[in-house]
Amino acid sequence: MRWLERRRREHDDELLSAYIDGQLLGRARQEFEARLAREPELRARLEATRRMLGLVRSLPPVPAPRNFLLDPAKYGRPAHVRQAARWYPTLRLATTLATALLILVFAADLILSQALTPTFRAAAPAAAPQVATAGQGARQKTDAVEATVPPTPAEFSAPAPTAHPMLAAQPTPPSGEADQLPSAAAGEQAPEGALAVTPAPATRLGPAAAGAATDGLETGQPPTPGPTEPAPTPTAEAPAATPMPAEVGQAPPQAPLPAPGEPSQESAPAYTPEGPPQAPLPSSLLRAIEIGLAVLVILLVGATILAWRAT
Amino acid sequence: MDEASLIQAAQRGDVAAFNELVLAYQNQVYNLAYRIMGDGDSAADATQEAFISAYRHLVHFRGGSFKAWLLRIVTNACYDELRRQKRHPASSLEALYVVDEAPDDPGLIAAPAENPETYAQRRELWRFIEAGLSTLPPDQRITLVLSDIEGLSYEEIAEITSANLGTVKSRLSRARAKLRDFLMAQGELLPAHYRLHGEGDGAAQQVVRK
């Protein structure tokens, strides 16, 4: 009962407050004014509240006892910092745009590379016979090679498609029969057998293979240096048969180009590397754009952080 | 330089421009802090904190009423100070119930040209009002100060205190009722012409001015 009385009183106080502030409108206002007319207690509370508000509003304003100025030496910022802070919104927008662009280019690259992959695979077998054909000329020119075998898939992962025609004309033995390599190289570069002969790149031939290579040389030349030494001579791989442009970067150092007029030049017409299919151009272009954008994003993020700290 | 230009300059880190704004608003900001906090020292601390905070966050000011934005900041600073005092009640009780006699006492500052007896009575009344304000819960006190001393609308109060309109109305009506009842309870201590006289069973009273 007491709770009910208290709740009713609180409700009346809400109506009083709203009535004083002119927030009681229409029918609610009319009803409240009718209550005021017939309830002296409510009317007295209204007057007491109004007078209380009058007293509160009569409180004089209290001026600040002192100035609250900020010390420029403590809170001021140098002009260049203020300038940096002004660039913050622009830098933030630029960073967002560059990041979005990077994501788009990356996605495009991904989609393109996936779409072109079957083309590469189709082109690879076509390139292999071409290499083999080119290798015929090389075999005719050297007696060191007893037999050649078609390039194995392992060779497709090897070096640069931009190899010199002389290199392209060499047969590509499997890694297990690396003894063909030095002979072919010898036939190409040193027909007299003056051994510039070196086994295939040590990275591809283990010590055992290197030993086998030296054993298999009909020229009887002494074995070449250890397998860890880089081979200055051309490698036996068929570069043109390399289908994956992504592998280009892994190509071993190319052999020095022979002087004009050397016999090896004769094999040039026999094989003209056409290079991998057209895919690498847009792919590498996209890759370059990606790298450029990534660098740009990194720079922008750094600049944005600096500008943000200046704000 | 107008207010908008001062704000833009201050947003770029120009402290001198911001100090122009401080000079323009410090009385209003301090007055609000004083009415909320109830004592001069806490009000000065809250005011200083509010201006420092305003300067640091000025870059986020996106137009509108700078005064309302500033009052919101000082209100939050007062909230923080009140919360701090609540955690350390020993240091806050004195501030709650002892009327500040410091030089910034409004009675001393606004010394009128009335006779000393009337002036003393008026000061006594102000002290009772301030004591009554200090008994209100912070939410209700801030709402009443913003509405009945600063004269802000319900909408502005709702924005400053981050409350909805219904909450503002409810807090305001409760604060007014409590302050009215407090003053009525202190009626016998008031000067005669401000005294609250009971009517009927005492539930209904009124302020009688002679």
Side-chain angles (χ1 to χ4, degrees):
Chain A
M1 198 63 180
R2 180 171 287 182
W3 176 84
L4 207 62
E5 177 64 23
R6 194 176 62 193
R7 184 68 195 95
R8 190 182 65 82
R9 189 179 168 84
E10 284 178 0
H11 180 66
D12 285 348
D13 282 333
E14 287 177 11
L15 291 174
L16 278 174
S17 184
Y19 181 75
I20 289 170
D21 289 338
Q23 298 286 319
L24 218 54
L25 304 171
R27 188 181 180 87
R29 183 182 181 88
Q30 290 173 356
E31 288 178 356
F32 187 73
E33 286 177 341
R35 279 189 64 195
L36 284 174
R38 63 176 184 267
E39 296 181 29
E41 180 190 330
L42 187 64
R43 195 167 57 248
R45 282 168 59 195
L46 173 65
E47 287 306 310
T49 307
R50 276 182 170 159
R51 289 184 186 280
M52 178 275 294
L53 287 177
L55 292 175
V56 168
R57 288 166 185 161
S58 75
L59 285 170
V62 188
R66 61 180 174 84
N67 285 330
F68 293 95
L69 303 175
L70 301 191
D71 181 8
K74 187 175 180 182
Y75 295 99
R77 288 179 292 179
H80 72 276
V81 176
R82 280 186 257 158
Q83 197 68 19
R86 285 183 75 180
W87 281 98
Y88 173 63
T90 308
L91 285 170
R92 192 174 56 180
L93 179 66
T95 305
T96 307
L97 291 177
T99 307
L101 194 59
L102 176 62
I103 292 170
L104 281 176
V105 171
F106 186 74
D109 186 14
L110 204 64
I111 292 168
L112 275 178
S113 64
Q114 284 180 350
L116 292 174
T117 298
T119 310
F120 296 156
R121 287 175 182 162
Q130 190 178 9
V131 172
T133 306
Q136 299 300 321
R139 277 199 303 275
Q140 291 170 4
K141 292 180 62 180
T142 176
D143 295 326
V145 178
E146 292 183 352
T148 60
V149 291
T152 63
E155 271 72 34
F156 286 115
S157 64
T162 55
H164 191 271
M166 176 191 76
L167 304 179
Q170 295 175 358
T172 58
S175 58
E177 299 183 10
D179 53 340
Q180 306 298 331
L181 277 171
S183 305
E188 285 290 334
Q189 277 204 319
E192 302 84 12
L195 199 55
V197 176
T198 338
T203 51
R204 300 192 64 236
L205 293 176
T214 52
D215 293 339
L217 286 176
E218 288 184 351
T219 53
Q221 296 300 325
T224 56
T228 54
E229 286 187 27
T233 55
T235 58
E237 284 76 26
T242 303
M244 299 303 290
E247 307 264 349
V248 167
Q250 300 173 5
Q254 296 299 316
L257 293 178
E262 281 187 9
S264 60
Q265 294 279 331
E266 295 173 16
S267 62
Y271 175 66
T272 304
E274 296 174 356
Q278 307 76 11
L281 181 60
S283 179
S284 55
L285 185 65
L286 282 174
R287 196 65 49 86
I289 293 173
E290 282 172 14
I291 292 169
L293 276 174
V295 171
L296 182 66
V297 166
I298 290 169
L299 292 175
L300 281 173
V301 165
T304 306
I305 290 173
L306 288 177
W308 172 72
R309 291 180 66 180
T311 58
Chain B
M1 201 183 292
D2 63 348
E3 184 176 289
S5 303
L6 288 173
I7 292 170
Q8 286 182 352
Q11 284 177 324
R12 293 193 296 269
D14 187 342
V15 180
F18 185 77
N19 281 338
E20 293 288 322
L21 296 167
V22 171
L23 290 174
Y25 285 101
Q26 65 179 0
N27 283 339
Q28 209 162 1
V29 168
Y30 177 78
N31 188 60
L32 173 61
Y34 182 87
R35 294 303 175 202
I36 293 174
M37 301 305 299
D39 77 290
D41 290 340
S42 298
D45 289 347
T47 302
Q48 189 68 77
E49 281 300 314
F51 280 123
I52 292 171
S53 177
Y55 178 72
R56 286 179 174 158
H57 295 94
L58 196 59
V59 71
H60 303 299
F61 176 68
R62 297 283 180 240
S65 169
F66 182 71
K67 176 189 163 187
W69 184 76
L70 206 53
L71 293 184
R72 181 176 189 170
I73 289 177
V74 72
T75 302
N76 287 330
C78 290
Y79 265 124
D80 293 342
E81 181 64 17
L82 288 170
R83 274 193 286 268
R84 191 190 66 77
Q85 289 182 357
K86 194 176 180 181
R87 287 196 299 271
H88 306 284
S91 63
S92 63
L93 281 177
E94 186 181 358
L96 277 176
Y97 293 105
V98 176
V99 175
D100 193 6
E101 294 287 355
D104 61 356
D105 186 326
L108 294 179
I109 291 165
E114 56 190 343
N115 71 65
E117 186 184 358
T118 308
Y119 174 64
Q121 289 175 344
R122 189 179 293 275
R123 281 194 59 196
E124 192 73 7
L125 175 65
W126 290 335
R127 292 172 67 175
F128 275 114
I129 296 171
E130 287 172 353
L133 282 173
S134 67
T135 63
L136 300 176
D139 285 338
Q140 296 177 15
R141 190 190 323 163
I142 289 169
T143 305
L144 187 138
V145 168
L146 290 172
S147 171
D148 296 334
I149 296 179
E150 297 297 329
L152 301 182
S153 68
Y154 287 179
E155 289 77 12
E156 287 172 318
I157 297 169
E159 184 185 343
I160 288 171
T161 59
S162 303
N164 60 47
L165 278 179
T167 304
V168 169
K169 291 175 184 176
S170 172
R171 286 175 180 170
L172 187 58
S173 71
R174 291 183 184 193
R176 285 170 172 174
K178 282 182 184 173
L179 187 58
R180 180 197 64 209
D181 293 345
F182 176 86
L183 291 177
M184 285 192 297
Q186 305 294 324
E188 293 304 316
L189 300 174
L190 286 170
H193 56 287
Y194 293 115
R195 193 168 297 161
L196 300 171
H197 289 275
E199 185 176 286
D201 60 0
Q205 300 177 45
Q206 59 181 344
V207 177
V208 178
R209 285 183 183 273
K210 286 186 178 177

